[in-house]
């Protein structure tokens, strides 16, 4: 996969890997393949500087469970913007928690040597769900229904360890980018520090799963954020009730 | 000057393990980010920058102090890994080299980012002292690395709330998750495929990593830094 030609082939790579099938997955993460627009934004890394560009279209496809207007939910005195952030985070944590719970309950999927890693991931994601439910109180949303096959694209997600870890890596990196992208919306509230404390745990997860898959734990010296719309576009195939 | 003391200004090798295109992307991002941050520093210039009085480096106040605080930590980490690569420990294998070379290049990139962004407001190069580290010993080196990485994560997590400028917060966010990836990596090198990468010693029952303020962090780095650093105007 090492390409000596700078920059230009990156998007081609993304297009190529988007068509790979489960079992021949050959990249640390699938984030850049889940949504072609997302791929170009990520590879150009312009998202840091032109945040608004290109996000409105993706927002239109956000799952309805997340489209609930914040105006109806002033949980425990939280500002609507904060409620939005917490619900968004809770959705991702529901996804991760159920993903690992299902995997750990699937006999023969996770080799014994890696089981402590995924047990720890499940422990944390379940704790994050409880934490966010507690913070939201009555404004907490119920768990969406998930389709971890990504609408059939990864049918062996719980039968093939490579497929499972590829999606695990993708979800963890997505979580890191999602929390990072929301930090600004929590600035000036006590929840900022809490969100940062979750964010770095997700990054630890992301690195460890990459290592399980035989990769180094990072892409480079700086991790890029993703907007809510970008994250939802990437996660949409796994939200069964979505779009 | 102790035998293991040196300035932190040398630049290490680039991360040979990373695909070239990733490096180029990161380099482009770094350059763009630096220019971006420099623009926003105009606002912060109104605040008092770092000062050097009586040999003590004071970090100053406001966002500039927080950035200099991060710069100090990155100086320490970059100097440490540079020394690790110069004096490989017994049992330094290819996998260790790949990970530690990557981490070193990131810490240098972080250090240079802050140095460039802070410009004339940057604190001077700190004199470091790794005399307590046995560089021939893998457990000593990786144990020290674990301390630095976990501390770095906790420091960034605790510093976010101190930043006023949202662009600085975003930049710190792009660094802290890489520090957390390092922490997990070092911990996994010490205890492969166990729960240690995000162990219960650093992640609590709510699934939260640690968050420490400067007055909690700086005493922990004092044993490794000869230059006196004060953060009198930070919590």
């Amino acid at each position: 996969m090492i390409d000596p030609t700078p920059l230009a082939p990156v998007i081609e790579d993304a297009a190529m890997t988007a068509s790979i099938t489960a079992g021949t997955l050959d990249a640390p993460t699938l984030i850049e393949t889940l949504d072609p627009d997302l791929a170009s934004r990520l590879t150009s890394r312009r998202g840091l500087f032109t945040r608004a560009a290109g996000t409105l279209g993706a927002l239109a496809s956000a799952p309805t469970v997340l489209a609930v207007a914040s105006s109806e939910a002033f949980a425990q005195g939280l500002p609507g913007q904060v409620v939005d952030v917490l619900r968004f985070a809770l959705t991702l944590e529901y996804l991760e928690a159920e993903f690992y719970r299902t995997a750990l309950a699937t006999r023969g999927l996770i080799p014994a040597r890696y089981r402590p890693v995924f047990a720890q991931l499940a422990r944390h994601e379940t704790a994050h769900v409880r934490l966010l439910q507690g913070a939201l109180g009555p404004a907490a949303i119920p768990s969406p229904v998930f389709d971890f096959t990504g609408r059939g694209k990864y049918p062996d997600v719980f039968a093939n360890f490579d497929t499972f870890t590829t999606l695990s890596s993708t979800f963890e990196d997505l979580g890191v980018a999602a929390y990072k992208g929301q930090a600004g919306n929590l600035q000036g509230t006590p929840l900022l520090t809490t969100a940062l404390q979750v964010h770095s745990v997700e990054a630890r997860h992301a690195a460890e799963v990459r290592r399980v898959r035989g990769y180094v734990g990072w892409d480079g010296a700086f991790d890029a954020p993703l907007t809510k719309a970008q994250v939802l576009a990437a996660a949409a195939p796994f939200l069964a009730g979505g779009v | 000057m102790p035998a293991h003391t040196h300035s932190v200004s040398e630049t290490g090798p680039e991360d040979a393990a990373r695909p070239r295109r990733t490096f180029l992307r990161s380099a482009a991002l770094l350059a763009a980010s630096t220019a971006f941050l420099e623009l926003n520093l105009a606002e912060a210039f109104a605040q008092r920058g770092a000062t050097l009085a009586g040999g003590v480096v004071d970090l100053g106040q406001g966002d500039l102090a927080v950035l200099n605080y991060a710069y100090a930590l990155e100086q320490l980490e970059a100097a440490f890994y540079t020394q690790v690569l110069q004096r490989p420990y017994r049992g330094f294998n290819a996998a260790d080299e790949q990970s530690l070379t990557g981490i070193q290049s990131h810490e240098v990139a972080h250090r240079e980012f802050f140095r460039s962004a802070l410009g004339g407001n940057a604190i001077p190069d700190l004199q470091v002292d790794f005399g307590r580290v046995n560089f021939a010993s893998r457990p000593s080196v990786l144990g020290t690395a674990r301390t630095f990485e976990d501390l770095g994560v906790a420091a960034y997590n605790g510093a976010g709330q101190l930043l006023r400028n949202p662009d600085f917060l975003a930049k710190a966010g792009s660094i802290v998750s890489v520090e957390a990836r390092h922490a997990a990596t070092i911990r996994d090198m010490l205890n492969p495929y166990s729960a240690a990468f995000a162990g219960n010693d650093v992640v609590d029952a709510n699934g939260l990593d640690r968050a420490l303020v400067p007055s909690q962090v700086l005493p922990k780095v004092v044993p490794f830094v000869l230059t006196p650093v004060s953060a009198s105007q930070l919590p």
Side-chain angles (χ1 to χ4, degrees):
Chain A
M1 291 294 286
I2 294 179
D3 187 332
T5 314
L7 295 181
V10 170
I11 293 172
E12 287 176 22
D13 283 359
M16 180 186 71
T17 50
S19 65
I20 59 180
T21 56
T24 60
L25 302 166
D26 186 25
T29 168
L30 292 175
I31 286 183
E32 300 187 12
T33 70
L34 292 174
D35 168 20
D37 291 338
L38 184 62
S40 61
R41 284 196 294 270
L42 271 177
T43 50
S44 70
R45 296 290 205 253
R46 270 189 235 111
L48 267 174
F49 313 110
T50 55
R51 284 188 193 139
T55 59
L56 292 176
L59 192 61
S61 67
T64 49
V65 67
L66 286 160
V68 179
S70 63
S71 56
E72 72 173 60
F74 284 85
Q76 303 176 3
L78 295 174
Q81 176 175 267
V82 172
V83 170
D84 276 351
V85 173
L86 297 184
R87 284 177 162 181
F88 170 54
L90 178 56
T91 299
L92 295 177
E93 298 291 357
Y94 275 137
L95 182 148
E96 291 180 315
E98 183 172 323
F99 181 66
Y100 295 119
R101 194 162 56 239
T102 305
L104 288 164
T106 304
R107 191 181 295 267
L109 173 63
I110 301 174
R113 109 182 261 221
Y114 301 122
R115 200 165 174 89
V117 169
F118 293 98
Q120 189 75 344
L121 295 180
R123 173 194 175 101
H124 292 160
E125 309 304 6
T126 301
H128 294 164
V129 166
R130 280 198 302 263
L131 184 73
L132 290 163
Q133 284 176 330
L136 280 161
I141 51 171
S143 178
V145 175
F146 297 110
D147 172 11
F148 293 114
T149 72
R151 301 197 191 110
K153 189 171 182 184
Y154 313 102
D156 60 352
V157 54
F158 294 122
N160 180 325
F161 187 62
D162 287 340
T163 307
F164 165 70
T165 56
T166 301
L167 289 184
S168 167
S169 188
T170 300
F171 294 151
E172 296 296 343
D173 276 337
L174 195 61
V176 175
Y179 276 98
K180 198 187 313 298
Q182 294 306 309
N185 288 331
L186 297 175
Q187 199 167 16
T189 80
L191 287 164
L192 172 64
T193 300
T194 305
L196 289 173
Q197 290 173 278
V198 175
H199 169 247
S200 63
V201 170
E202 300 292 344
R204 288 176 186 264
H205 294 176
E208 183 69 10
V209 177
R210 281 170 181 250
R211 288 179 65 79
V212 166
R213 300 191 61 231
Y215 293 96
V216 293
W218 47 73
D219 279 331
F222 300 89
D223 275 343
L226 289 175
T227 65
K228 180 176 171 182
Q230 288 171 326
V231 172
L232 291 178
F238 304 97
L239 291 154
V243 304
Chain B
M1 188 175 285
H4 302 302
T5 300
H6 68 141
S7 169
V8 297
S9 57
E10 71 266 41
T11 301
E14 290 169 4
D15 184 356
R18 248 185 304 154
R20 177 76 179 155
R21 63 167 190 263
T22 305
F23 170 73
L24 288 170
R25 274 191 279 155
S26 298
L29 173 67
L30 177 61
S33 304
T34 302
F36 180 68
L37 188 54
E38 278 169 351
L39 288 175
N40 287 281
L41 273 171
E43 176 190 323
F45 283 163
Q47 303 162 349
R48 192 171 72 83
T51 56
L52 183 64
V56 177
V57 173
D58 188 79
L59 298 177
Q61 64 184 19
D63 282 7
L64 276 180
V66 179
L67 298 181
N68 265 316
Y69 168 60
Y71 177 43
L73 296 176
E74 298 293 354
Q75 284 193 43
L76 179 67
E77 290 185 311
F80 174 70
Y81 290 108
T82 298
Q83 198 152 334
V84 168
L85 295 182
Q86 284 168 350
R87 308 165 61 184
Y89 50 71
R90 287 185 299 273
F92 190 83
N93 60 33
D96 288 5
E97 181 176 13
Q98 185 181 35
S99 291
L100 293 170
T101 302
I103 292 173
Q104 190 266 358
S105 75
H106 300 163
E107 306 299 10
V108 169
H110 296 166
R111 182 193 69 197
E112 293 307 306
F113 167 76
F114 284 112
R115 186 204 301 279
S116 171
L118 282 159
N121 287 282
I123 57 171
D125 289 354
L126 301 178
Q127 292 296 313
V128 296
D129 175 10
F130 299 124
R132 61 177 54 211
V133 181
N134 178 359
F135 281 92
S137 158
R138 188 176 192 270
S140 177
V141 167
L142 295 185
T144 305
R146 176 176 55 194
T147 298
F148 286 164
E149 298 296 346
D150 285 337
L151 193 60
V153 171
Y156 276 99
N157 281 349
Q161 64 185 332
L162 305 178
L163 288 168
R164 303 278 301 273
N165 185 321
D167 298 322
F168 297 165
L169 176 63
K171 197 67 213 179
S174 78
I175 293 175
V176 61
S177 56
V178 174
E179 299 292 345
R181 291 172 186 271
H182 294 169
T185 296
I186 296 292
R187 285 169 159 268
D188 189 65
M189 290 168 71
L190 285 163
N191 295 289
Y193 308 132
S194 70
F197 70 95
N200 299 342
D201 56 326
V202 279
V203 180
D204 70 16
N206 287 318
L208 299 178
D209 223 319
R210 294 185 305 168
L212 299 174
V213 294
S215 62
Q216 295 170 302
V217 171
L218 289 176
K220 297 180 194 299
V221 305
V222 162
F224 302 99
V225 181
L226 292 175
T227 312
V229 176
S230 81
S232 57
Q233 297 177 79
L234 289 176

